[in-house]
Amino acid sequence: MLIQYRNHGFSLIFLNLLSLKQALYMLTDFKISFHLKSTFVILLTAFLIRSASYGQSKKYCTVSVINTSALNINEKVIEVRWSQILKAYSGIDTSLLIVIDAGSKKQVPYQLEKKGTSEIQNLLLQVSVHSKNKSEFIIKAGKRLPFNSKTYARYVPERYEDFAWENDKIAFRMYGKALESTTGNATGIDVWTKRTPNLVLNKWYKSGDYHKDNGEGLDFYHVGMTLGAGGIAPYFDGQIINSKNYVKYEVFDNGPLRSSFKLFYSPWMVNGQEVNYTKLVQLDAGSQLNKFEVQFVSRASDSLTIAAGIHTNNGLDVKFINEQKKILAYWEPVNKDNGQIGVGCVFISPVKSFIEDEGHILNIETIKVSIPYTYYAGACWNRAGRYLNSSQWFNYLEEFSKALEVLKVEIK
């Protein structure tokens, strides 16, 4: 970038790399008036100050995560709008991007989330913030250290077109069309328990020995033709009207801090009308719960009654139902060989009442079709060591619900 000052037929040309002292020294070699020199000095000084400030703003930006609540927030993945980061740090280079914890001065893992698009939508960070406190992170250029991924999702064609996903705490799967022709067909959400932070899906599918705990966990949750651990379906005349299994999938993002994908279902008949839907599923590192965004479509009506909830395997042991807190949960009876699983749902929209029906605890709502219906659902395992009993599991769900809206993000 050049500065040019023209007067009386001559030009003074200075690169912005020159210091003010160097520029003044050069001026002594020109026979120009004191007024001209003074004017030039003022202009050059202003430019250099602005240039220095401009350069500084391109070197980094700071993200502050503020906890406005009395809760201690642990291992929560937050979204920082990429457009806001670009406003504060327009010279950002994603190939040379690091995030530093301002407290520890160490690099932290991050993810550039695209949400199925070609452009970055969010910067994802996993944060822990004490109550009424804040954590700060510095985004700047540097060599990124390698970090292990904490989430993973994939299509499993070698096992009847399963779709499976996991994080460092828990794993889940849903079933593809190829399973429909077998005697072991299932429609709901399956749980795979884990006692290791490592990603195990590929290893377990390869071995085929995941119904036995070999030290990492196992699959002993029973789904069958139920909603399983947080499924959803139309509800008519006191009955859950299950769909068929999914027929198509799209993976949007896949680690290291969040995996998200969409499942597509073929139309089926509900009370004389054809219904269709998609499920957008999102699982974050450190979380026991998935985020579900389900979009129903019906050409015959603009509303639909749905049931979302959990299957109560082997009868009720301990349940937690609280419409005001918008939480339903269940702690399964003891499996003498494998321990206990807790399952639960956290709803976003107001809840009128939960019901027990068809071996489920359900939230029945009438929703607008073509508008995504959002809720959270998931599970835990007592032998993983985090939640050893029903009280600890129910408390986790309450704190999860409260923590959804308590973190504020500032960028400068």
Side-chain angles (χ1 to χ4, degrees), residues 274-325:
E274 188 178 81
V275 173
N276 195 5
Y277 74 157
T278 61
K279 294 179 181 177
L280 176 59
V281 185
Q282 171 185 300
L283 181 62
D284 289 347
S287 178
Q288 303 289 149
L289 305 185
N290 301 285
K291 181 180 181 181
F292 292 99
E293 292 184 13
V294 183
Q295 183 156 357
F296 287 89
V297 177
S298 171
R299 295 180 181 178
S301 174
D302 63 356
S303 64
L304 184 70
T305 300
I306 56 92
I310 54 180
H311 177 45
T312 53
N313 280 318
N314 305 315
L316 283 175
D317 185 24
V318 182
K319 63 181 178 180
F320 178 80
I321 298 175
N322 191 310
E323 287 87 356
Q324 184 177 2
K325 294 180 179 179

Side-chain angles (χ1 to χ4, degrees), residues 96-331:
L96 295 170
L97 174 62
I98 61 174
V99 180
I100 303 294
D101 185 309
S104 67
K105 311 299 182 184
K106 295 181 179 179
Q107 279 196 46
V108 297
Y110 68 86
Q111 181 176 335
L112 302 179
E113 183 187 33
K114 294 186 176 180
K115 302 182 76 170
T117 71
S118 60
E119 302 294 331
I120 299 170
Q121 304 297 312
N122 296 308
L123 171 75
L124 303 181
L125 297 173
Q126 189 176 27
V127 304
S128 295
V129 192
H130 291 301
S131 64
K132 304 295 182 180
N133 212 327
K134 71 177 180 179
S135 294
E136 291 190 337
F137 302 90
I138 300 168
I139 302 172
K140 64 178 185 177
K143 184 178 180 181
R144 182 178 180 179
L145 295 176
F147 293 105
N148 292 329
S149 184
K150 296 182 179 181
T151 68
Y152 179 61
R154 82 168 176 100
Y155 169 60
V156 190
E158 68 270 29
R159 220 302 300 197
Y160 296 106
E161 300 178 327
D162 287 355
F163 197 97
W165 67 102
E166 66 177 316
N167 65 6
D168 50 336
K169 309 298 181 186
I170 194 82
F172 303 91
R173 69 172 167 177
M174 294 192 73
Y175 303 100
K177 189 170 181 60
L179 193 68
E180 290 179 357
S181 59
T182 73
T183 57
N185 189 28
T187 56
I189 299 171
D190 191 21
V191 177
W192 283 14
T193 61
K194 291 174 57 174
R195 63 166 102 241
T196 173
N198 299 327
L199 301 179
V200 299
L201 285 182
N202 287 337
K203 178 181 177 181
W204 287 10
Y205 270 116
K206 185 176 181 179
S207 72
D209 188 26
Y210 49 81
H211 292 100
K212 176 183 177 182
D213 184 5
N214 294 305
E216 295 177 320
L218 75 159
D219 171 24
F220 72 100
Y221 182 78
H222 177 69
V223 184
M225 304 303 288
T226 75
L227 296 181
I232 189 171
Y235 188 79
F236 174 70
D237 199 20
Q239 290 186 322
I240 298 169
I241 313 298
N242 283 314
S243 70
K244 300 289 188 179
N245 294 344
Y246 84 91
V247 294
K248 178 184 173 184
Y249 73 93
E250 290 181 7
V251 177
F252 290 166
D253 296 278
N254 213 355
L257 297 179
R258 172 178 291 171
S259 291
S260 60
F261 57 93
K262 181 179 282 189
L263 301 181
F264 299 79
Y265 294 76
S266 296
W268 76 107
M269 300 304 294
V270 178
N271 187 25
Q273 62 174 309
E274 188 178 81
V275 173
N276 195 5
Y277 74 157
T278 61
K279 294 179 181 177
L280 176 59
V281 185
Q282 171 185 300
L283 181 62
D284 289 347
S287 178
Q288 303 289 149
L289 305 185
N290 301 285
K291 181 180 181 181
F292 292 99
E293 292 184 13
V294 183
Q295 183 156 357
F296 287 89
V297 177
S298 171
R299 295 180 181 178
S301 174
D302 63 356
S303 64
L304 184 70
T305 300
I306 56 92
I310 54 180
H311 177 45
T312 53
N313 280 318
N314 305 315
L316 283 175
D317 185 24
V318 182
K319 63 181 178 180
F320 178 80
I321 298 175
N322 191 310
E323 287 87 356
Q324 184 177 2
K325 294 180 179 179
K326 298 179 286 190
I327 297 170
L328 63 82
Y330 169 63
W331 188 256

Side-chain angles (χ1 to χ4, degrees), residues 62-69 71 73 76-81 125 127-130 132-137 402-412:
T62 301
V63 174
S64 298
V65 183
I66 304 165
N67 183 358
T68 61
S69 75
L71 295 172
I73 305 299
K76 181 176 175 60
V77 174
I78 63 162
E79 301 173 356
V80 186
R81 293 294 300 169
L125 297 173
V127 304
S128 295
V129 192
H130 291 301
K132 304 295 182 180
N133 212 327
K134 71 177 180 179
S135 294
E136 291 190 337
F137 302 90
K402 293 176 183 177
L404 289 174
E405 302 294 338
V406 301
L407 294 182
K408 178 182 177 183
V409 176
E410 294 181 352
I411 305 170
K412 59 182 179 180

Side-chain angles (χ1 to χ4, degrees), residues 325-360:
K325 294 180 179 179
K326 298 179 286 190
I327 297 170
L328 63 82
Y330 169 63
W331 188 256
E332 290 197 342
V334 175
N335 179 307
K336 65 178 182 178
D337 296 321
N338 300 313
Q340 290 177 287
I341 289 177
V343 290
C345 296
V346 174
F347 294 94
I348 305 300
S349 55
V351 172
K352 292 182 179 179
S353 64
F354 295 128
I355 67 169
E356 295 180 45
D357 189 25
E358 293 193 42
H360 293 78

